[in-house]
């Protein structure tokens, strides 16, 4: 279930049954999420992204609608701060795939205008176990992480053309000395700063804030995790 909880406390309200990975639109009027059938093998193949309109009290308004669908898995889109784009991670394939690692599928970041009927734009072509992206406050850059084939995760910043949405370039995100690979990241809505998590070893993870130039500003927390 996806639930909403008042920030000042109170009872949780179920908004969506059978959903995960929720994300707000910037105006707070829509909630996107990931859902799909759970198969015994290769369960992720059936995942797609959906959207539901909500009112100010988080009551659903109308039926749940698909927003990103296709062969293989598709994940929750994130809205750009200016409201013009949605970006998402997908294993988009032009045909039905029989297995998760089947030839022909991708593992990259995609973009689409929020205007109805807009064409999909593929932003990257080198992903491997990629994570979902997050926007810079200028709506012109996205950060995401992707593993190499040795399992080391590295973050990248995608620069897009604000008029067409096409990729202008993709730069590696510099990281402070020490971290063996970024696992999660969230771009500050007001600054050139990114919150990141990375494994320290022995099941320990660290939450820190770095600049977009890779300078460590502050370590916020250390915690245990299995994923």
């Amino acid at each position: 279930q996806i639930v909403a909880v008042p920030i000042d406390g109170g009872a949780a309200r179920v908004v969506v049954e059978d959903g995960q990975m929720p994300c707000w639109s910037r105006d707070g009027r829509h909630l996107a999420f990931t859902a799909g059938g759970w198969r015994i093998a290769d369960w992720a193949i059936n995942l797609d992204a959906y959207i539901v309109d909500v009112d100010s009290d988080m009551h659903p308004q109308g039926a749940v609608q698909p927003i990103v669908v296709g062969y293989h898995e598709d994940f929750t889109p994130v809205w750009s701060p200016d409201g013009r784009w949605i970006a998402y991670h997908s294993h988009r394939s032009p045909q039905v795939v029989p297995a998760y690692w089947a030839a022909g599928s991708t593992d990259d970041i995609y973009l689409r205008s929020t205007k109805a009927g807009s064409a999909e734009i593929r932003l990257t072509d080198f992903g491997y176990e990629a994570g979902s992206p997050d926007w810079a406050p200028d709506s012109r850059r996205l950060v995401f992480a992707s593993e190499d084939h040795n399992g080391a995760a590295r973050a990248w910043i995608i620069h897009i053309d604000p008029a067409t949405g096409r990729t202008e370039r993709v730069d590696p995100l510099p990281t402070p000395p020490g971290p063996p690979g970024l696992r999660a990241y969230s771009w500050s809505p007001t600054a050139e700063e990114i919150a990141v998590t990375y494994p320290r070893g022995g099941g320990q993870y660290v939450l820190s804030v770095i600049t977009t130039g890779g300078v460590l500003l502050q370590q916020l927390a250390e915690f245990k995790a299995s994923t």
Side-chain angles (χ1 to χ4, degrees):
Q1 294 174 327
I2 294 173
V3 302
V5 182
I7 198 167
D8 296 325
R13 175 184 293 123
V14 176
V15 182
V16 173
E17 297 282 358
D18 300 321
Q20 59 180 310
M21 301 173 62
C23 182
W24 294 99
S25 63
R26 300 288 171 157
D27 60 11
R29 296 171 55 191
H30 316 287
L31 191 70
F33 60 95
T34 299
W38 304 101
R39 311 189 324 169
I40 293 175
D42 283 347
W43 55 266
I45 286 179
N46 287 348
L47 298 181
D48 288 309
Y50 297 84
I51 187 172
V52 63
D53 296 341
V54 293
D55 64 17
S56 58
D57 293 319
M58 283 304 297
H59 292 107
Q61 304 294 297
V64 169
Q65 301 290 334
I67 185 171
V68 182
V69 298
Y71 301 131
H72 218 307
E73 60 185 5
D74 305 296
F75 289 100
T76 307
V78 288
W79 277 267
S80 63
D82 63 10
R84 294 183 57 201
W85 307 99
I86 57 170
Y88 46 93
H89 162 220
S90 175
H91 285 221
R92 177 76 69 225
S93 172
Q95 59 202 12
V96 176
V97 290
Y100 187 86
W101 292 115
S105 61
T106 64
D107 195 352
D108 283 294
I109 305 301
Y110 291 81
L111 186 76
R112 206 170 71 204
S113 168
T114 52
K115 295 180 180 178
S118 297
E120 183 176 76
I121 302 170
R122 184 175 178 178
L123 296 181
T124 65
D125 61 1
F126 59 86
Y128 181 78
E129 288 301 288
S132 294
D134 195 31
W135 286 95
D138 61 8
S139 297
R140 296 186 62 170
R141 292 167 294 166
L142 290 154
V143 61
F144 84 106
S146 180
E147 291 186 3
D148 61 25
H149 289 266
N150 294 317
R154 184 171 189 178
W156 306 84
I157 294 178
I158 307 169
H159 299 253
I160 68 168
D161 184 318
T164 66
R166 298 287 177 183
T167 300
E168 292 183 329
R169 70 179 194 275
V170 180
D171 297 329
L173 172 65
T175 54
L182 299 182
R183 297 298 180 183
Y185 33 83
S186 180
W187 204 310
S188 166
T190 59
E192 290 291 290
E193 300 173 359
I194 299 174
V196 298
T197 64
Y198 49 86
R200 176 158 283 177
Q204 291 292 119
Y205 279 73
V206 175
L207 170 65
S208 297
V209 176
I210 65 173
T211 69
T212 53
V215 177
L216 178 63
L217 296 178
Q218 185 178 7
Q219 180 177 314
L220 301 177
E222 186 169 337
F223 57 96
K224 281 189 172 294
S226 60
T227 62

